[in-house]
Amino acid sequence: MDTTGIQFLEQMALDDEAIVFMRVDFNVPLDDDGNVLDDARIVGALPSIKHVLATGAKLVLASHLGRPKGAPDPKYTLEPAGAKLAELLDLEVHMPQEWYGDEVVDGIERLRRNQIVMLENLRFHPGETEGDAEFAAGLASIATHYVNDAFGTAHRKHASVYQMVEHFRRGRTACGFLIQKELQSLGRLQLNPTRPFVAVMGGAKVSDKITILETLIDKVDTVLVGGAMAYTFLKAQGHEVGSSLVEDDQLETATAILTRARRQNKRIELPSDHVVASGLKVERADEVSTVTGAIPDGLAGLDIGPATRQHYASIIADAATVFWNGPMGVFEHPMFADGTVEVARALAASKAFSVVGGGDSASAIKVAGVEDQIDHVSTGGGASLEFIEGKPLPGIEALRANHPFR
């Protein structure tokens, strides 16, 4: 993506008279007791938060968490995220009960150094996901400057991501350091990737990945396919796939994608062997086996087999650029995790510029213990895919339109 016309946080003039509204992504997993299970997204926002606080500006953070239905729900409160942030930065986090209005304004005015305001879950208000103009204007009314550092929602036309940007004077909006890194890292894949360029695509459904697969065929040299989506491709080629998950209504699409790749002299690699079982409720090792070629009736492919793992690893080892999105099997089940973990380790061991597209793939590299060996782990699964597809991201385009020199 061309970043011309997008102002970055380090370029924005801030002082102790500024009040910065920063959209962050604190959509973190919580346990049954409301404790943060993974603080990676909070940690990812720290550089931008620290930068604003260092200027003396007052800071208001805003995020969503989960999918509440436009009304307060204790299950989705941001209080645990606020507590974790306070712990990480050793500061006080104040959480008003409203998103804007006198209570919020008064709270901001009383802020001292090492204190910030964090609004409650934006999705508790129906106007957030609806892109409501009044809600956007209300949010904008409490601040003088706007920073978006939530790449995971940049592809949404939500009030805090898109509509509220127009309420700020030009030069007073910017993207934060996290989004800046996303644009730079993903931009390397989109504009001029070093070759060989390999994409590793997994997950359950071809229908979820049609557009990105079609885009990647034009960009990459090889696509390594895993996960349940591989069985739609294999069936489209006439292979027996047993009880494996298949989208029968996508067989023609899979055939078209394979044909398109062949015509462009691009390789689409499919699993040659499979870890199979009668279902996901297996508990014993003797209920799981590996088959090469045809999968017998009554058995489903739930992970790529050892030969496929080795083959995929050898292709990754020779790559100069690798993009990975989607697990190779049902990796949350220990008996079907090896394929995903071995691909993660192969990626970490390679010399390629490596980008992992968020979601389950990001979880997989943590399970494999190689997160610090990947060049870039995107914080936005859907946003990263749309970015690579070349689609405009509303949250980014809003910032571009508000640039001071346009």
Side-chain angles (χ1 to χ4, degrees):
M1 174 183 284
D2 179 12
T3 58
T4 302
I6 300 173
Q7 181 166 248
F8 299 118
L9 176 56
E10 60 191 0
Q11 299 170 313
M12 189 163 65
L14 295 173
D15 56 30
D16 57 8
E17 297 296 319
I19 301 171
V20 177
F21 182 105
M22 184 183 295
R23 180 56 160 95
V24 292
D25 184 2
F26 286 178
N27 185 26
V28 294
L30 306 175
D31 64 20
D32 292 338
D33 295 322
N35 300 306
V36 175
L37 290 171
D38 184 349
D39 64 4
R41 288 180 174 175
I42 300 175
V43 171
L46 295 184
S48 293
I49 292 172
K50 290 178 179 179
H51 176 86
V52 171
L53 293 176
T55 68
K58 295 179 178 179
L59 180 60
V60 179
L61 299 178
S63 178
H64 73 283
L65 192 153
R67 296 187 178 182
K69 298 179 180 180
D73 184 340
K75 178 181 177 182
Y76 297 111
T77 178
L78 277 168
E79 290 180 2
K84 175 58 69 172
L85 178 65
E87 175 189 327
L88 291 170
L89 288 178
D90 190 24
L91 51 65
E92 295 181 42
V93 176
H94 299 281
M95 292 188 65
Q97 298 303 305
E98 301 293 337
W99 294 277
Y100 53 88
D102 292 342
E103 179 193 356
V104 179
V105 172
D106 291 345
I108 294 170
E109 288 180 352
R110 291 194 299 269
L111 284 178
R112 302 187 304 275
R113 280 192 175 274
N114 293 320
Q115 294 181 327
I116 63 173
V117 165
M118 187 166 80
L119 306 181
E120 184 54 282
N121 193 336
L122 293 171
R123 291 186 182 175
F124 283 178
H125 192 293
E128 169 65 2
T129 57
E130 293 171 1
D132 180 72
E134 182 178 347
F135 184 59
L139 292 174
S141 70
I142 64 176
T144 61
H145 295 69
Y146 174 91
V147 174
N148 190 345
D149 211 25
F151 185 71
T153 60
H155 60 316
R156 307 290 189 191
K157 278 193 173 183
H158 290 176
S160 66
V161 174
Y162 185 70
Q163 283 82 4
M164 71 178 292
V165 179
E166 67 182 26
H167 294 280
F168 292 88
R169 288 167 46 190
R170 288 190 175 182
R172 292 194 171 189
T173 63
C175 72
F177 297 130
L178 186 149
I179 285 188
Q180 182 177 359
K181 183 181 178 184
E182 294 275 9
L183 297 180
Q184 292 169 342
S185 297
L186 294 172
R188 287 183 61 174
L189 306 186
Q190 190 188 56
L191 298 176
N192 190 27
T194 308
R195 298 187 180 279
F197 182 10
V198 174
V200 184
M201 300 299 293
K205 296 181 178 181
V206 174
S207 56
D208 290 343
K209 304 283 176 76
I210 291 173
T211 306
I212 186 64
L213 281 168
E214 291 176 339
T215 299
L216 286 172
I217 287 171
D218 295 335
K219 295 179 179 294
V220 306
D221 301 293
T222 303
V223 181
L224 310 179
V225 181
M229 63 186 294
Y231 299 105
T232 298
F233 281 100
L234 287 168
K235 186 173 181 178
Q237 290 184 325
H239 297 286
E240 297 295 329
V241 296
S243 302
S244 303
L245 180 63
V246 170
E247 292 180 283
D248 287 316
D249 62 339
Q250 296 296 325
L251 292 175
E252 290 186 8
T253 300
T255 299
I257 290 172
L258 292 167
T259 300
R260 180 174 178 170
R262 186 167 57 252
R263 287 174 177 170
Q264 296 189 36
N265 199 30
K266 304 296 180 68
R267 296 164 57 192
I268 293 185
E269 299 284 344
L270 298 170
S272 61
D273 61 338
H274 321 272
V275 177
V276 299
S278 59
L280 291 174
K281 295 183 179 180
V282 296
E283 297 179 355
R284 303 190 315 272
D286 61 2
E287 297 178 285
V288 178
S289 58
T290 299
V291 299
T292 300
I295 299 176
D297 291 341
L299 295 178
L302 299 170
D303 192 12
I304 58 175
T308 302
R309 297 169 205 163
Q310 185 175 2
H311 180 54
Y312 284 9
S314 68
I315 294 174
I316 291 170
D318 291 334
T321 305
V322 181
F323 172 68
W324 180 22
N325 180 272
M328 298 291 96
V330 189
F331 85 100
E332 59 268 28
H333 192 304
M335 292 187 182
F336 311 115
D338 288 350
T340 301
V341 169
E342 289 193 25
V343 165
R345 290 174 177 165
L347 185 56
S350 77
K351 296 180 180 179
F353 175 69
S354 54
V355 176
V356 173
D360 289 336
S361 305
S363 299
I365 63 170
K366 291 180 182 177
V367 171
V370 297
E371 186 177 15
D372 60 347
Q373 299 173 58
I374 305 300
D375 290 300
H376 181 67
V377 181
S378 179
T379 56
S384 66
L385 293 182
E386 292 194 18
F387 183 101
I388 292 172
E389 288 169 20
K391 294 180 179 178
L393 303 182
I396 305 302
E397 294 311 308
L399 295 176
R400 192 194 306 276
N402 195 260
H403 191 276
F405 303 115
R406 287 183 66 82

